[in-house]
Amino acid sequence: MNLVVAGNKVKVQLDPSERFWAFHLSGQIELPLDSIQDVRLVRPETEWNELRAPGTYVPGLIKAGTYYTTKGREFWYVPKNQDTNQSCLCVDVSEGYYKRIVLGSVMARQWQSQIQAATV
């Protein structure tokens, strides 16, 4: 997985295995910079009434794909080894297909800095 800030968009690029686990046909998710409300390092709590459609969830192993929650449509890709607050990037978005993106990566802190620098 890679995150790139280009022009007025944040682009999340998924590799083939990430696309497989997330059941995501496109290799990229784009977020308009001006619609980003908050960027933080936190793994949001899972809600009991969220609906996974489509995606993969294996407790303690992976949470990936599209989830429908009380906040709206969310995209998650958090593997077991990145399931901590310091390695989860949470991006809240006001407009667009997804209302929240949650990514587990060792690059989370750097990505947070990139997005915050671009939205200032």
Side-chain angles (χ1 to χ4, degrees):
M1 178 182 327
N2 192 23
L3 186 140
V4 176
V5 177
N8 62 348
K9 294 183 180 178
V10 173
K11 298 178 182 183
V12 178
Q13 300 165 337
L14 303 172
D15 69 34
S17 68
E18 293 162 342
R19 290 174 57 195
F20 173 79
W21 289 112
F23 288 83
H24 203 271
L25 297 177
S26 173
Q28 186 166 278
I29 298 169
E30 292 185 357
L31 308 171
L33 275 174
D34 59 354
S35 70
I36 294 176
Q37 295 178 315
D38 194 17
V39 181
R40 59 195 185 287
L41 295 176
V42 64
R43 185 186 189 285
E45 292 295 320
T46 299
E47 298 178 7
W48 69 271
N49 59 347
E50 66 187 22
L51 175 65
R52 173 179 25 105
T56 303
Y57 179 67
V58 179
L61 187 61
I62 191 169
K63 181 175 182 178
T66 300
Y67 289 79
Y68 293 86
T69 70
T70 56
K71 294 181 181 12
R73 187 182 298 122
E74 301 180 2
F75 179 82
W76 285 68
Y77 193 88
V78 181
K80 174 184 173 186
N81 59 345
Q82 303 303 322
D83 197 15
T84 66
N85 281 343
Q86 293 304 305
S87 43
C88 274
L89 178 72
C90 181
V91 182
D92 291 322
V93 183
S94 62
E95 301 174 4
Y97 190 74
Y98 293 109
K99 296 298 180 192
R100 177 183 281 168
I101 306 287
V102 182
L103 306 172
S105 173
V106 294
M107 302 290 292
R109 186 171 300 281
Q110 291 171 318
W111 292 345
Q112 179 191 30
S113 299
Q114 279 183 320
I115 295 170
Q116 286 174 334
T119 57
V120 174

